[in-house]
Amino acid sequence: MKSWLSALLQILLLFVFAWVGKWLSATLQLHIPGSLIGMALLFICLQLGWIRLHWVEAGAALVFSQMILFFVPAIAGIMQYPWLLGIKGLLVLIVVVSGAALVMISTGVVAERVFKLGEVKRRDSVENM
Amino acid sequence: MILWKICSLLVTVLFFVLAKKLSRKRPGLLFSPAIVAPLGIMLLLIVTGTPFQKYQEGTNFMNEMLGVVTVAFAIPLYRNWAILVSHWRMIVSSLAVGTLIAILAGVSTSMLLGLGKEAAISVIPRSITLPIAVGLSESIGGIPSMTALFVMLTSFAGVFWGPTLIKHLKLRHPVSIGLMYGMGAHVLGMAKALELGELEGSSATLAVITGAVMTVVWAFILLPVILSWMGV
């Protein structure tokens, strides 16, 4: 029970960051999602040691583990586009599936190339995987 | 109104819990809670004749939570900062290319197929994690729920392509495999990459976060160009 309560309190702390980010985005007329600003703020606070990792870790773990729940309403919003069931929906599928492959190929190939071009070889313990 | 909110939130949670139970019994992409729960909600809304707008108002707390999820991403980023810094060349160059291709491929294919302007703009953030994608879509004038759809489909497509691509591209380095998964399939990719190893998992997490930041940057650089190209 106690661990639940502390995780909930930690989520509240994350909420504060999200809210501050939103507020900054609105007041400064920045066209960046407020949640991203909140993420940057939390990261900076962690780096500076103003926020300790164990103050937010359990809350983040809880939020991550149930992440899909928060997507449900957003995904259900698809029902506003009945045309997706038709020929247009098939086109969308083509766009997405081909695009996904292109993106993954380019990312993977470039990463591997750069690595071979002489990324400083660190003795990773995972080298033999 | 308060009662309606509590009701719609409870129903959403209930469907989610049921969907999770189902996916434990029947593992696989099609039975993922990310598909089953929203489908259940849709059916319920259609059967009861509730307009979606009303349900959306009732569940706007969930959208607030998406913001919290985004904020929480600062934690894996902080934890893996040392790895990120030591592989920065690889990460920055591959993700810069990946995100650029994601935007260009999405916009050009959707314009070519005649899906219309709104779809083309909504497709821009589709290669990043959902909570950030939805926020970005709002800021650049897309339709958030349509972006959500593109993100979900991309995520599934990415997991589907993953193993084939690793084999054919002969990817060896755990960081490149992780980056590819994170860039291609976001959260699902993170889970998949983590199955392969700790370093793959954390690289995928970094790809999801860094890719999101880069997409935001690209989107604002390219948006004027894209809009003029569409002839707005």
Side-chain angles (χ1 to χ4, degrees), chain A residues 68-102:
Chain A
I68 293 177
L69 167 64
F70 311 124
F71 295 151
V72 171
I75 302 168
I78 295 168
M79 70 183 285
Q80 296 172 94
Y81 310 103
W83 51 261
L84 277 169
L85 289 172
I87 198 84
K88 221 172 171 186
L90 195 70
L91 294 179
V92 166
L93 211 60
I94 295 171
V95 168
V96 166
V97 174
S98 65
L102 275 177

Side-chain angles (χ1 to χ4, degrees), chain B residues 6-134:
Chain B
I6 293 171
C7 245
S8 40
L9 281 176
L10 274 180
V11 167
T12 308
V13 172
L14 179 76
F15 272 81
F16 175 68
V17 171
L18 290 175
K20 265 181 104 167
K21 279 210 167 98
L22 179 73
S23 80
R24 247 179 250 131
K25 277 207 189 88
R26 301 195 122 154
L29 271 184
L30 269 181
F31 289 101
S32 137
I35 294 181
V36 177
L39 272 180
I41 298 276
M42 285 183 215
L43 282 175
L44 186 73
L45 290 180
I46 291 166
V47 169
T48 55
T50 319
F52 180 78
Q53 296 302 355
K54 208 171 165 205
Y55 170 74
Q56 203 173 18
E57 282 161 19
T59 52
N60 59 10
F61 169 75
M62 295 275 182
N63 280 337
E64 294 288 320
M65 279 311 287
L66 282 186
V68 174
V69 172
T70 311
V71 169
F73 269 110
I75 289 145
L77 190 62
Y78 171 74
R79 275 205 207 119
N80 295 301
W81 193 239
I83 305 179
L84 174 65
V85 172
S86 70
H87 291 88
W88 70 271
R89 279 193 197 82
M90 217 168 141
I91 293 166
V92 171
S93 49
S94 63
L95 294 182
V97 173
T99 45
L100 185 62
I101 299 249
I103 295 177
L104 295 181
V107 173
S108 53
T109 40
S110 47
M111 288 304 280
L112 281 175
L113 293 172
L115 289 176
K117 272 201 303 266
E118 282 175 328
I121 292 182
S122 306
V123 90
I124 290 176
R126 70 108 214 259
S127 257
I128 50 179
T129 183
L130 197 48
I132 303 175
V134 170

Side-chain angles (χ1 to χ4, degrees), chain A residues 22 31 47 57 63 66-67 71 77-78 80-81 84 92 97 104 107 111-112 114-115 119 122 129, chain B residues 20 52 64 66 69 79 81 86-87 90 93 143 145 149-150 158 161 172-173 176 180 183 187 220:
Chain A
K22 216 172 173 176
H31 285 283
Q47 285 286 21
E57 220 167 12
V63 169
Q66 304 304 326
M67 192 152 62
F71 295 151
I78 295 168
Q80 296 172 94
Y81 310 103
L84 277 169
V92 166
V97 174
M104 287 174 89
T107 308
E112 199 76 0
V114 172
F115 169 66
E119 176 89 22
R122 311 186 146 259
M129 279 169 62
Chain B
K20 265 181 104 167
F52 180 78
E64 294 288 320
L66 282 186
V69 172
R79 275 205 207 119
W81 193 239
S86 70
H87 291 88
M90 217 168 141
S93 49
I143 312 166
S145 56
L149 165 75
F150 282 128
W161 284 115
R172 296 270 177 275
H173 198 281
S176 30
M180 188 188 79
M183 193 64 236
V187 181
F220 287 110

